């Protein structure tokens, strides 16, 4: 199932990455305003998606939204307007859909580690004492590993596989929508 998700979402994943401000961290050209916007965009997307996942998977735990909120508070940014504006644009109706969304959310930790390695090279961000979301903690990858183990052990019907893949794609598209609308 994991390979099916990876293959089915590969193109969307690359499109979303291409249109993301994080690329400016990788090339060390990000401005402080763009960094603030990147954190805001990520907070809105993660908050809405994670809240929906929790409705179907009550055991689901993640600290991504919490870490992003700390970063935003530290920079004096209130995300509530955008969360309210976009929260009805994404819904999860089944456990299998939640797994598809979880694939996107948990998989993002890999890119976050790469981004965190490049933050110290961005001179305009030097005044920020602590990055909570892009903290570079290798232990963040443990939730991805657990997700991978769980999904490999879970049996899926053909319909459930398709539903999971469709929601993973939908989740990538939602992240893209947030990146376009939160400015």
């Amino acid at each position: 199932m994991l390979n099916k998700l990876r293959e089915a979402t590969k193109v969307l994943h690359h499109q979303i990455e291409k249109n993301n401000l994080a690329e400016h961290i990788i090339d060390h050209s990000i401005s402080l305003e763009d960094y603030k916007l990147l954190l805001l965009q990520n907070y809105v997307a993660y908050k809405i998606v994670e809240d929906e996942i929790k409705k179907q998977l009550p055991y689901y735990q993640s600290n991504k939204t919490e870490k992003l909120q700390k970063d935003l508070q530290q920079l004096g940014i209130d995300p509530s307007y955008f969360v309210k504006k976009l929260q009805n644009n994404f819904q999860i109706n089944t456990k299998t859909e939640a797994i598809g969304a979880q694939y996107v959310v948990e998989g993002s930790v890999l890119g976050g580690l790469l981004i965190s390695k490049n933050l110290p090279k961005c001179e305009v961000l030097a005044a920020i004492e602590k990055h909570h979301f892009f903290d570079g903690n290798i232990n963040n990858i443990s939730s991805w590993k657990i997700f991978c183990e769980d999904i490999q052990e879970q049996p899926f019907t053909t319909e459930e596989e398709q539903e999971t893949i469709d929601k993973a794609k939908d989740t990538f598209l939602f992240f893209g929508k947030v990146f376009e609308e939160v400015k």
Side-chain angles (χ1 to χ4, degrees):
M1 185 67 211
L2 198 56
N3 288 333
K4 290 178 183 181
L5 280 164
R6 191 175 291 123
E7 280 303 310
T9 60
K10 189 187 314 186
V11 172
L12 275 174
H13 188 176
H14 290 301
Q15 286 175 347
I16 301 304
E17 280 181 345
K18 205 186 257 189
N19 297 323
N20 187 318
L21 293 169
E23 71 180 351
H24 298 298
I25 294 173
I26 304 299
D27 69 14
H28 316 137
S29 68
I30 197 158
S31 67
L32 180 57
E33 289 308 308
D34 279 349
Y35 183 65
K36 290 177 180 180
L37 180 57
L38 174 67
L39 291 171
L40 177 61
Q41 291 169 335
N42 276 281
Y43 176 83
V44 171
Y46 280 100
K47 171 75 173 144
I48 293 169
V49 172
E50 288 186 334
D51 284 353
E52 285 294 310
I53 291 171
K54 289 175 189 172
K55 289 177 185 177
Q56 298 298 325
L57 304 175
Y59 60 84
Y60 175 74
Q61 293 184 352
S62 175
N63 61 2
K64 292 171 182 61
T65 300
E66 179 184 305
K67 287 180 173 188
L68 282 159
Q69 188 170 24
K70 286 180 183 178
D71 284 327
L72 292 175
Q73 285 173 341
Q74 175 175 277
L75 296 167
I77 300 167
D78 178 5
S80 59
Y81 167 78
F82 289 107
V83 172
K84 287 176 190 164
K85 178 182 175 188
L86 294 168
Q87 67 187 9
N88 294 324
N89 289 289
F90 186 83
Q91 285 83 37
I92 294 175
N93 300 306
T94 67
K95 179 182 175 188
T96 354
E97 284 186 352
I99 293 168
Q102 190 179 4
Y103 167 77
V104 176
V105 170
E106 294 303 332
S108 68
V109 74
L110 304 173
L113 289 172
L114 175 64
I115 291 166
S116 68
K117 287 181 182 178
N118 284 281
L119 278 175
K121 299 172 186 170
C122 299
E123 292 180 25
V124 298
L125 304 179
I128 299 173
E129 289 182 31
K130 180 163 177 59
H131 299 278
H132 299 277
F133 184 65
F134 297 117
D135 63 3
N137 185 342
I138 194 70
N139 292 328
N140 293 339
I141 205 163
S142 65
S143 62
W144 169 246
K145 288 180 180 178
I146 291 168
F147 172 78
C148 291
E149 290 169 9
D150 288 348
I151 200 168
Q152 297 293 35
E153 292 175 7
Q154 187 169 337
F156 288 88
T157 66
T158 304
E159 293 80 18
E160 288 171 334
E161 281 184 3
Q162 193 58 52
E163 188 174 278
T164 304
I165 289 167
D166 289 346
K167 188 47 78 172
K169 289 178 178 179
D170 187 43
T171 305
F172 274 117
L173 290 170
F174 178 70
F175 268 74
K177 180 181 179 70
V178 170
F179 295 157
E180 287 176 19
E181 292 196 21
V182 176
K183 298 286 182 189

